[in-house]
């Protein structure tokens, strides 16, 4: 394995000069710099991150904790994070909790043991153990998706997005609107989106029918099953629209309606949240909310890099959104 000493010998310079070039720290003439980098490229030399960490007290690595790495939302957020941190010569280390809140705590401790410089958490819940673990880690920390106490957070405007979507359905003439949501352990998706739906119906003095409300688990399959329960329980009083809190579940709901010969949107309108790529290509195209996930990832990375440069007080940022009306309503 090639070492920094080997590079120095081949370039006929000191180890310190090679270190300056590799770390872009200190003056080295252009001619010497080019000679060293040519040798680095030819030998395939890879600087030791652990050695650099010992010298600088920085690892050059940002930890990212995802709730489900396979989702399009996570992919967009990570793309935004990586675009920003890579421009500052940082790398990212990804972990995937598979929606297991215990793993959020486990991975914070794991990333701390790997000496990451900071952590971005796509949070799905808020609890005392999580807050305590973050405090104990004593690392620069950004929460994306939940407003965590004591942590700089970027939150989606779930409440108003839900109000706007429900209002839009009401404006289309729907007065019997079903709802497919998720459990309240997720405050943003499970609580705020449901509250927006309830408040909009109440403001317009419309009926809130418990048999039109079902909770799933974010999956396409659960959207299908929730829609099935709503239809089976209300065969003589079907809602004319259904608001689903994620695109994935909305697509599952649409599949069940198609199987039953219930036309979308003529018999029942369907709306989701997430602006997934698939939402454009299902038939009919799904009305949805775009949260600009990649931009949220960029913002999270920028805030974390700012914290690495100087300690800042907790801040809260609300991510903007837009309602995309398509053929499903």
């Amino acid at each position: 394995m090639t070492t920094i000493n080997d590079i120095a010998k081949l370039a006929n310079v000191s180890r310190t000069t090679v270190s300056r070039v590799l770390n872009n720290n200190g003056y080295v003439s252009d001619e010497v710099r080019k000679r060293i980098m040519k040798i680095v490229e030819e030998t395939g030399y890879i600087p030791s991150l652990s050695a650099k960490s010992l010298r600088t007290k920085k690892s050059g690595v940002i930890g990212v904790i995802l709730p489900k790495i396979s989702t399009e939302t996570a992919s967009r957020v990570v793309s935004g994070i990586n675009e920003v941190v890579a421009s500052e010569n940082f790398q990212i280390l990804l972990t995937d909790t598979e929606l297991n809140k215990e793993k959020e705590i486990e991975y914070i401790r794991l990333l701390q043991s790997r000496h990451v410089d900071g952590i971005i958490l796509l949070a799905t819940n808020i609890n005392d153990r999580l807050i305590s673990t973050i405090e104990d880690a004593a690392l620069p920390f950004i929460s994306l998706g939940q407003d965590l106490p004591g942590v700089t957070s970027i939150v989606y405007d779930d409440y108003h997005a839900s109000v706007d979507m429900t209002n839009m359905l009401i404006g289309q003439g729907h007065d019997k609107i079903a709802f497919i949501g998720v459990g309240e352990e997720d405050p943003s998706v499970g609580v705020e989106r449901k509250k927006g739906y309830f408040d909009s119906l109440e403001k317009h003095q419309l009926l809130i029918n418990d048999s039109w409300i079902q909770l799933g688990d974010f999956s396409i399959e659960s959207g299908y099953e929730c829609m099935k329960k709503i239809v089976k329980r209300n065969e003589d009083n079907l809602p004319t629209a259904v608001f689903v809190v994620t695109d994935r579940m909305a697509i599952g709901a649409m599949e069940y309606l198609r199987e039953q010969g219930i036309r979308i949107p003529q018999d029942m309108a369907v709306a989701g949240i997430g602006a997934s790529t698939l939402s454009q290509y299902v038939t009919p195209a799904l009305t949805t909310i775009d949260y600009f996930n990649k931009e949220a990832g960029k913002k999270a990375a920028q805030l974390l890099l700012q914290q690495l440069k100087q300690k800042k007080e907790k801040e809260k940022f609300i991510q903007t959104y837009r309602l995309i009306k398509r053929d499903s309503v």
Side-chain angles (χ1 to χ4, degrees):
M1 179 183 290
T2 304
T3 67
I4 192 171
N5 290 329
D6 296 328
I7 301 296
K9 284 182 181 180
L10 291 169
N12 196 28
V13 297
S14 70
R15 176 191 171 101
T16 301
T17 300
V18 176
S19 179
R20 285 176 180 171
V21 171
L22 295 177
N23 294 304
N24 196 27
N25 181 21
Y27 174 76
V28 178
S29 70
D30 287 343
E31 185 271 328
V32 172
R33 184 180 297 275
K34 289 177 182 177
R35 187 164 80 243
I36 290 172
M37 291 310 298
K38 185 173 184 291
I39 293 169
V40 167
E41 185 176 344
E42 290 173 347
T43 59
Y45 171 71
I46 300 175
S48 167
L49 286 177
S50 59
K52 180 180 178 182
S53 177
L54 288 172
R55 291 193 309 273
T56 66
K57 307 301 183 184
K58 299 291 182 183
S59 66
V61 178
I62 302 297
V64 180
I65 303 175
L66 304 172
K68 204 167 182 62
I69 201 168
S70 60
T71 65
E72 191 171 344
T73 296
S75 176
R76 290 173 177 170
V77 169
V78 169
S79 176
I81 292 171
N82 193 54
E83 187 174 313
V84 171
V85 302
S87 68
E88 297 291 333
N89 298 315
F90 282 85
Q91 297 176 324
I92 57 176
L93 178 57
L94 300 178
T95 58
D96 179 5
T97 69
E98 289 289 340
L99 296 173
N100 183 337
K101 64 183 180 181
E102 292 301 315
K103 284 191 175 181
E104 286 185 340
I105 294 169
E106 176 186 332
Y107 285 141
I108 291 170
R109 290 171 177 160
L110 173 66
L111 292 171
Q112 182 185 17
S113 74
R114 297 292 179 89
H115 305 291
V116 298
D117 295 331
I119 295 175
I120 298 173
L121 168 65
L122 276 66
T124 59
N125 72 97
I126 301 173
N127 60 68
D128 291 341
R129 285 190 62 217
L130 177 63
I131 301 304
S132 176
T133 303
I134 292 171
E135 290 174 349
D136 291 343
L139 284 169
F141 211 100
I142 303 294
S143 168
L144 176 55
Q146 306 286 352
D147 186 13
L148 295 181
V151 176
T152 290
S153 303
I154 301 171
V155 297
Y156 299 116
D157 196 355
D158 289 291
Y159 175 78
H160 289 105
S162 179
V163 167
D164 284 352
M165 186 63 84
T166 310
N167 285 346
M168 185 275 295
L169 292 171
I170 294 169
Q172 293 289 307
H174 296 286
D175 57 6
K176 297 193 293 183
I177 303 172
F179 179 83
I180 297 177
V182 298
E184 293 190 356
E185 62 272 10
D186 184 321
S188 295
V189 181
V191 176
E192 292 300 310
R193 295 183 191 181
K194 186 177 181 181
K195 186 174 188 300
Y197 161 79
F198 278 168
D199 286 355
S200 180
L201 293 187
E202 289 178 355
K203 180 179 179 180
H204 290 86
Q205 299 181 324
L206 295 179
L207 174 67
I208 297 175
N209 186 333
D210 288 342
S211 68
W212 293 346
I213 298 171
Q214 289 293 320
L215 301 184
D217 64 4
F218 291 93
S219 68
I220 292 175
E221 294 80 6
S222 74
Y224 180 99
E225 292 299 325
C226 287
M227 193 73 257
K228 181 178 180 179
K229 289 177 182 177
I230 291 172
V231 170
K232 292 290 187 184
R233 293 175 182 177
N234 297 277
E235 291 180 346
D236 297 325
N237 186 30
L238 281 180
T240 62
V242 57
F243 171 32
V244 192
V245 295
T246 76
D247 282 357
R248 286 171 62 82
M249 290 197 296
I251 288 166
M254 291 172 73
E255 179 58 28
Y256 179 77
L257 293 176
R258 273 193 294 269
E259 289 180 2
Q260 302 306 306
I262 298 172
R263 298 171 301 166
I264 305 169
Q266 295 92 333
D267 301 324
M268 192 180 301
V270 182
I273 290 184
S276 64
T277 300
L278 189 57
S279 70
Q280 303 175 60
Y281 299 109
V282 293
T283 303
L286 178 64
T287 292
T288 187
I289 297 283
D290 184 0
Y291 276 138
F292 304 105
N293 300 119
K294 184 174 181 179
E295 295 306 313
K298 287 183 179 180
K299 181 68 174 179
Q302 290 163 354
L303 290 170
L304 187 64
L305 293 178
Q306 288 174 16
Q307 284 194 18
L308 291 175
K309 293 175 183 175
Q310 64 179 70
K311 184 175 177 62
K312 303 190 78 169
E313 294 299 316
K314 166 190 162 56
E315 297 177 273
K316 177 181 176 180
F317 299 87
I318 299 177
Q319 180 69 8
T320 188
Y321 65 88
R322 62 173 175 150
L323 192 156
I324 304 172
K325 186 178 176 185
R326 298 196 181 114
D327 296 337
S328 65
V329 301

